[in-house]
Amino acid sequence: MAETELLAATAAETAALIEGGQVSREECLSAWLERTAADDLNGYLWRADAESAVGTVDQDAGGPIAGVPLAIKDIFCTAGVPTTAASKILEGYRPPYDATAVARLASAGVPMLGKTNMDEFAMGSSNENSAYGPALNPWDRSRVPGGSSGGSAAVVAAGLAPWALGTDTGGSVRQPAAFCGVVGLKPTYGSISRYGMIAFASSLDQCGPITQDVTDAAMLLARLEGRDEMDSTSTGIEGGVVLPLAEDLKGLKFGIPADLVDEGVDPGVKAVFDRTVERIETLGGKVEMIELPHAKHGISAYYVLAPAEASTNLSRYDGVRYGQRASDKDLGSMYEDTRGDYFGPEVKRRIMLGTYALSSGYYDAYYGRAQRVRTKIVHDFDAAFSKVDFVITPTSSSVAFGLGEKTSDPLTMYMADLFTVPMSLAGIPAISIPAGMAAPEGGGEGAGGDMPVGFQIAAPAFGEQKLLEASFALEKAIDFDGGGGRI
Ligand code: GLN
């Protein structure tokens, strides 16, 4: 078969081509490995070769996704393969084992194309906090791909991988998916094992698929979810998800959290959102206004809780156990120099914020209060889901912004997660699907064309199947053309 046809296929279509004998697993892998060499977006931090791509893969595995290669965010431990979390402190680190998510896919016969760029330790919304330079948005290289899973979103949108793994702590799968015009799913907290996923904020971190369409997201999730005895927060629900087939939204209710969505959305994004709401109604869904009164405080709570957890999680990088060591002076200076020299500025900012928030005397004023806000947000969603099946918002208030546009102002950057953080705090599943195109506000430099806009749908905990069915029906109606992202 023609190689161009293979490289344009979704993961599900690729699986069907392999299954039907039109292409062998070896041909498929070698075409994709060759294709990754076209990456001029800094999307990959490391690219596999024919041997390393199948390192721990069960090449005899049968099943629906065997042979469909995958790009993996560089936050997942991969046995014998560089794993840096885009930090200098982990340069040269080669883990002795695979993360459970990676191991599950390897045992399903999925080869690895490479490790993708990201914000250092997943802290960021633009990929500009990578110690190895940002990945670029394939729709317009003067713009960010979003973050922190920006490399994964960029390579899928650019056609440099059929699909990818990302992680989402406050929006890092959904927001880059929105910025790059692809699908990003953050499943319910605990539904995919976090074992071997380098920790940022453990009560929020979740692995999620970044794919060309909703069907691919379902296919990947089906292999990833389930109990893992190596992660005590993982749940026992396995193989629950099947491929979505819904054609309409009859009988389903969608709630718009008016107070949250009113917080300032760019007009172009708002227009796409409104059009998508009309589509929901055309498909038979009912849309109503709901309240999530505390959701707008999500960002404030998140930026206490996530740095607090990060400050403890990152204490393990001490120059003794992993990666780089700055000097061999006395122990105290060795710790200080290692952390001082090899952590980037945003990581240091978070460690300082988190350490302060947890210090005695301030603990209750910051951490305790943020936890109480989190509980209120959980209750807000409970109340909302007693009225509607789904909560809908734009994924982000703007399209992809320009490189450097927000780097000098961390607070504006933090606001990029306004619509995605509440779902993370509540631990519920949420998906971003591409819904249309809009002109960037303020123009900016570069190609100057319209950029993709994401539409976010959230469901109650473990409501993935319903969420995927609704997204599938809506995706069909939207019929988004991702061609502009291909390089
Ligand atoms: N942008 C958010 C942050 O910087 C979310 C990151 C993430 O989800 N990993 O914390």
Side-chain angles (χ1 to χ4, degrees):
M1 68 171 300
E3 197 172 288
T4 44
E5 194 187 328
L6 174 67
L7 297 177
T10 65
E13 289 163 355
T14 308
L17 291 170
I18 294 173
E19 181 92 34
Q22 282 106 307
V23 65
S24 71
R25 292 186 198 192
E26 296 72 26
E27 285 161 353
C28 178
L29 179 59
S30 79
W32 274 107
L33 286 174
E34 207 176 297
R35 173 69 182 146
T36 61
D39 175 25
D40 56 359
L41 302 166
N42 203 19
Y44 285 102
L45 292 178
W46 176 87
R47 289 190 293 110
D49 59 21
E51 198 180 319
S52 50
V54 293
T56 55
V57 173
D58 177 356
Q59 295 190 68
D60 298 322
I65 61 174
V68 186
L70 174 91
I72 299 176
K73 184 177 182 179
D74 201 28
I75 200 165
F76 290 91
C77 287
T78 39
V81 164
T83 301
T84 66
S87 181
K88 288 280 179 213
I89 213 161
L90 280 175
E91 197 160 290
Y93 175 57
R94 287 173 188 259
Y97 67 100
D98 278 336
T100 297
V102 173
R104 280 186 174 233
L105 295 175
S107 68
V110 174
M112 161 174 57
L113 290 175
K115 306 292 292 288
T116 57
N117 203 350
M118 55 181 283
D119 286 293
E120 184 176 0
F121 288 109
M123 297 173 186
S125 307
S126 68
N127 225 285
E128 292 165 295
N129 295 332
S130 168
Y132 304 98
L136 307 179
N137 191 312
W139 293 78
D140 176 348
R141 285 151 200 254
S142 73
R143 297 185 179 277
V144 303
S148 64
S149 311
S152 287
V155 298
V156 174
L160 294 167
W163 51 5
L165 278 189
T167 63
D168 191 311
T169 303
S172 277
V173 158
R174 291 162 283 161
Q175 185 256 21
F179 279 14
C180 292
V182 292
V183 171
L185 170 67
K186 182 202 89 74
T188 305
Y189 178 77
S191 57
I192 300 175
S193 169
R194 289 179 298 108
Y195 180 68
M197 212 173 90
I198 293 174
F200 163 13
S202 308
S203 77
L204 297 154
D205 294 344
Q206 193 51 202
C207 165
I210 295 183
T211 55
Q212 298 176 60
D213 66 12
V214 174
T215 301
D216 284 1
M219 269 182 114
L220 204 47
L221 178 63
R223 279 315 297 211
L224 289 166
E225 62 183 354
R227 171 87 186 144
D228 173 16
E229 63 176 26
M230 303 305 281
D231 173 4
S232 60
T233 62
S234 76
T235 54
I237 303 170
E238 188 143 356
V241 161
V242 295
L243 294 190
L245 294 167
E247 284 172 1
D248 61 49
L249 300 171
K250 289 195 187 110
L252 295 173
K253 285 193 192 154
F254 296 77
I256 305 176
D259 39 358
L260 186 64
V261 173
D262 283 350
E263 289 280 307
V265 177
D266 285 357
V269 172
K270 182 74 171 51
V272 171
F273 182 74
D274 292 345
R275 263 206 316 278
T276 311
V277 166
E278 282 165 25
R279 284 212 166 90
I280 290 177
E281 288 168 333
T282 313
L283 289 169
K286 294 254 174 316
V287 182
E288 59 185 78
M289 291 296 171
I290 52 152
E291 282 180 6
L292 292 176
H294 303 90
K296 56 177 171 293
H297 303 302
I299 289 283
S300 315
Y302 174 88
Y303 278 97
V304 172
L305 299 174
E309 295 184 27
S311 71
T312 62
N313 270 328
L314 270 59
S315 64
R316 75 192 65 182
Y317 305 105
D318 54 6
V320 177
R321 286 169 287 187
Y322 309 91
Q324 298 294 318
R325 171 178 299 184
S327 66
D328 268 324
K329 286 188 281 182
D330 61 285
L331 192 63
S333 349
M334 190 279 281
Y335 287 158
E336 279 176 26
D337 291 351
T338 300
R339 292 168 68 82
D341 291 356
Y342 295 113
F343 278 143
E346 182 62 24
V347 173
K348 287 179 187 160
R349 184 177 297 123
R350 305 263 180 130
I351 291 174
M352 285 191 287
L353 272 172
T355 310
Y356 181 79
L358 290 177
S359 54
S360 76
Y362 294 105
Y363 178 91
D364 203 51
Y366 293 105
Y367 187 78
R369 182 179 288 196
Q371 287 288 30
R372 288 193 286 279
V373 172
R374 182 175 192 173
T375 303
K376 290 206 178 289
I377 291 174
V378 171
H379 292 161
D380 280 2
F381 276 111
D382 286 347
F385 289 131
S386 70
K387 297 199 189 97
V388 294
D389 299 285
F390 304 105
V391 170
I392 51 174
T393 71
T395 309
S396 184
S397 56
S398 72
V399 296
F401 43 88
L403 287 161
E405 206 177 302
K406 298 193 185 198
T407 36
S408 58
D409 184 358
L411 288 183
T412 326
M413 187 75 95
Y414 294 172
M415 291 310 283
D417 304 315
L418 182 65
F419 298 144
T420 51
V421 150
M423 294 74 180
S424 298
L425 290 169
I428 58 175
I431 193 168
S432 177
I433 61 171
M437 302 289 290
E441 283 295 287
E445 290 179 12
D450 288 357
M451 295 294 290
V453 175
F455 186 84
Q456 179 177 232
I457 314 173
F462 302 108
E464 274 82 354
Q465 189 65 46
K466 247 174 112 174
L467 180 63
L468 289 160
E469 298 286 356
S471 313
F472 179 78
L474 191 55
E475 173 185 64
K476 277 249 156 20
I478 294 169
D479 194 22
F480 180 79
D481 177 8
R486 300 215 155 227
I487 62 167

